Amino acid sequence: LIGLPTSFHFSNYLSAIKTGKMDVAFVNSVLVSVTAVAALVFIAFVAGVVFARYQFRGKTILYTMFLSGMLIPVHSLLIPIFVELKLFTLNNNRFILALVYAAFGLPKAIFLVTSFAATIPREIEEAVIIDGGNTHDIFFKVFLPISKPILSTVIILSFLDAWNEFPFSLVLMGKPELKTLPIALTYFTGQHSVQYTPMMAGLTIATLPVVI
């Protein structure tokens, strides 16, 4: 009953691509996930360093507002966001979907970067200033190289969240050619039957980038 396959059937992958349009969904997922991660990492890095190092009026309130985003159930905002985007005709847009993903990932990312940046010794910044460095040098020649471990963590977590997200992609992307991989995998399930072999091939295609 349990054993290795006697032969490999690559026709299942062709069937998955044809039935579920996995090739189109794969490209959509890559575009949305990469855009979301790039925007989220840049904003989280800059905001995290500012919160960790600079003092300004309203800092505590603003930081608390960002952290409170982790307490809000994400899917409770699905309908309000859909209504707002439809009002401004911004639905069916991969870039807007990526921004939505980035916005939901910001609270956690900013918290991680701020906590890490606060542990970096201030003497390093002072040495850069003494050597004639400016704010740009402090951000991108001091904090950026030192923050690579925490930024790598943020990249992995945010990419997984964006790659596997289902409800927002289902609701905000009404056109079939804009669907992402989690939506494409549902094409193998019908009312009375399930195409298991193409579905397993589709799952393999969807899993490979995450594993790599």
Side-chain angles (χ1 to χ4, degrees), residues 11 22 40 42 48 54 56 60 71 79-80 90-91 110-111 124 134 143 148 161 175 189 194 199 210:
S11 59
M22 298 295 294
L40 185 148
F42 178 77
Y54 294 89
F56 54 91
T60 303
L71 304 177
I79 301 302
L90 293 175
N91 54 331
I110 289 178
F111 171 73
I124 300 178
N134 51 27
F143 281 100
K148 285 181 179 179
D161 290 340
K175 297 180 179 179
T189 303
V194 178
M199 180 184 288
V210 177

Side-chain angles (χ1 to χ4, degrees), residues 39-51:
L40 185 148
V41 169
F42 178 77
I43 297 173
F45 169 70
V46 174
V49 174
V50 169
F51 282 130

Side-chain angles (χ1 to χ4, degrees), residues 77-121:
L77 302 176
L78 180 58
I79 301 302
I81 290 177
F82 171 74
V83 173
E84 184 175 356
L85 293 181
K86 187 176 181 180
L87 179 65
F88 293 99
T89 63
L90 293 175
N91 54 331
N92 293 318
N93 188 311
R94 286 186 291 251
F95 180 72
I96 297 299
L97 180 64
L99 291 183
V100 172
Y101 290 168
F104 287 139
L106 270 179
K108 178 171 58 179
I110 289 178
F111 171 73
L112 292 174
V113 175
T114 302
S115 301
F116 184 88
T119 64
I120 299 176

Side-chain angles (χ1 to χ4, degrees), residues 19-36:
T19 304
K21 295 183 173 62
M22 298 295 294
D23 53 343
V24 177
F26 187 90
V27 173
N28 290 335
S29 288
V30 170
L31 291 176
V32 171
S33 299
V34 170
T35 304

Side-chain angles (χ1 to χ4, degrees), residues 92-162:
N92 293 318
N93 188 311
R94 286 186 291 251
F95 180 72
I96 297 299
L97 180 64
L99 291 183
V100 172
Y101 290 168
F104 287 139
L106 270 179
K108 178 171 58 179
I110 289 178
F111 171 73
L112 292 174
V113 175
T114 302
S115 301
F116 184 88
T119 64
I120 299 176
R122 291 184 179 271
E123 288 77 11
I124 300 178
E125 301 170 56
E126 296 171 355
V128 173
I129 295 174
I130 292 174
D131 290 337
N134 51 27
T135 303
H136 180 275
D137 296 328
I138 293 175
F139 269 82
F140 297 101
K141 293 184 180 180
V142 175
F143 281 100
L144 184 59
I146 298 176
S147 301
K148 285 181 179 179
I150 195 63
L151 292 180
S152 299
T153 302
V154 171
I155 289 173
I156 293 172
L157 293 177
S158 58
F159 181 82
L160 289 176
D161 290 340

